Amino acid sequence: HVSDTHPRMSMHERAAQFSPFAALTGYDSAIAETARLTEQKRILGEDERERLDRCLMQLREHQNEHPYIDATHFVRDARKDGGSYSTVSGNIKRLDEVGKVLYMTDGSCINIEDIIDIMIY
């Protein structure tokens, strides 16, 4: 049958009528969020802690020179328990021992309690 009043539908438009319907909106994203893995924060051993303390002391002594560093630190996940480790590279601006924060020249800041490794160049 060909209608005199309605124009003929393209194959694409006809196929769209039979496309799958997502009855549960947000279900796919909830499944993806559940499947996303996070890590627990590591507890440093005595030797690692001493090495990190020596690096922080060296940074304190040379902070006016704005040394270039690589700092690996724990980043807490906003949605799940745990987080991940990230390495930030750049020049330090200031080491705030009272607030326990390492400020970088690019504007980022790192909580000293979350740092597990520092390489000073």
Side-chain angles (χ1 to χ4, degrees), residues 24-94:
L24 300 172
T25 54
Y27 181 73
D28 290 337
S29 61
I31 293 295
E33 178 64 23
T34 302
R36 190 170 55 85
L37 298 176
T38 58
E39 297 179 61
Q40 294 301 315
K41 185 176 177 182
R42 277 185 34 212
I43 305 299
L44 296 179
E46 187 71 29
D47 293 338
E48 293 173 308
R49 189 83 225 156
E50 286 177 10
R51 181 187 174 285
L52 187 58
D53 287 343
R54 282 193 306 271
C55 288
L56 289 170
M57 189 173 10
Q58 188 177 359
L59 282 179
R60 183 182 333 116
E61 292 170 0
H62 298 283
Q63 70 179 325
N64 294 334
E65 300 165 17
H66 307 290
Y68 188 86
I69 65 165
D70 288 337
T72 303
H73 64 104
F74 185 74
V75 179
R76 287 173 182 76
D77 195 293
R79 296 185 182 143
K80 293 176 80 171
D81 187 34
S84 62
Y85 283 94
S86 176
T87 300
V88 175
S89 299
N91 296 86
I92 71 159
K93 181 177 183 178
R94 179 169 69 92

Side-chain angles (χ1 to χ4, degrees), residues 88-103:
V88 175
S89 299
N91 296 86
I92 71 159
K93 181 177 183 178
R94 179 169 69 92
L95 177 63
D96 180 3
E97 293 181 72
V98 175
K100 297 187 178 185
V101 177
L102 180 64
Y103 293 96

